[in-house]
Amino acid sequence: MKRVVGHVFARLFHRQWNGAPHRTEQIPSENVIMQDRTKKRRRVKQTQSLTERLLASATLAKSRAQGMAPGHDRDLLLQKAREAEAAVALESWIRGPSSPR
């Protein structure tokens, strides 16, 4: 444990030992820290349900894969379609028959 703490301490104050400004001068001010905490996340209101969006992506992936020659890219599209369909099945299983959509 002492070795780890010593290593962290050495990294924090490395610049001070090499003639750079003291560590306390490099700490951001409280205003900068508070601005980072108050950034708002961009939220999007979905117009379609998750099931509809997953089924649409599966259908699109399958249609794109049909026009391609056999190969790695086609396999990736088909895998994406299978995963989307599995996610739809899993969601419907989790919701159960009595849950409203």
Side-chain angles (χ1 to χ4, degrees):
M1 187 65 173
K2 288 183 180 181
R3 185 176 186 190
V4 172
V5 172
H7 178 68
V8 171
F9 180 79
R11 285 189 72 195
L12 288 175
F13 293 96
H14 178 71
R15 289 188 179 175
Q16 178 186 0
W17 293 333
N18 289 336
H22 190 272
R23 173 74 178 153
T24 56
E25 295 174 14
Q26 297 174 4
I27 296 175
S29 68
E30 192 172 319
N31 292 336
V32 173
I33 294 172
M34 292 306 292
Q35 286 175 356
D36 289 342
R37 289 183 188 166
T38 58
K39 285 184 182 177
K40 297 220 175 193
R41 206 172 76 179
R42 189 173 54 140
R43 298 188 184 255
V44 177
K45 198 77 155 171
Q46 297 293 341
T47 57
Q48 295 179 320
S49 69
L50 177 62
T51 304
E52 292 171 343
R53 288 181 280 137
L54 286 170
L55 287 175
S57 71
T59 305
L60 180 64
K62 280 183 180 179
S63 65
R64 284 185 181 171
Q66 283 179 350
M68 297 176 73
H72 182 68
D73 293 337
R74 182 174 187 251
D75 292 341
L76 289 176
L77 284 173
L78 291 174
Q79 179 182 359
K80 182 178 178 180
R82 282 193 303 271
E83 288 173 354
E85 290 170 345
V88 169
L90 184 63
E91 186 201 12
S92 65
W93 177 75
I94 289 172
R95 285 182 179 236
S98 61
S99 297
R101 293 206 171 248

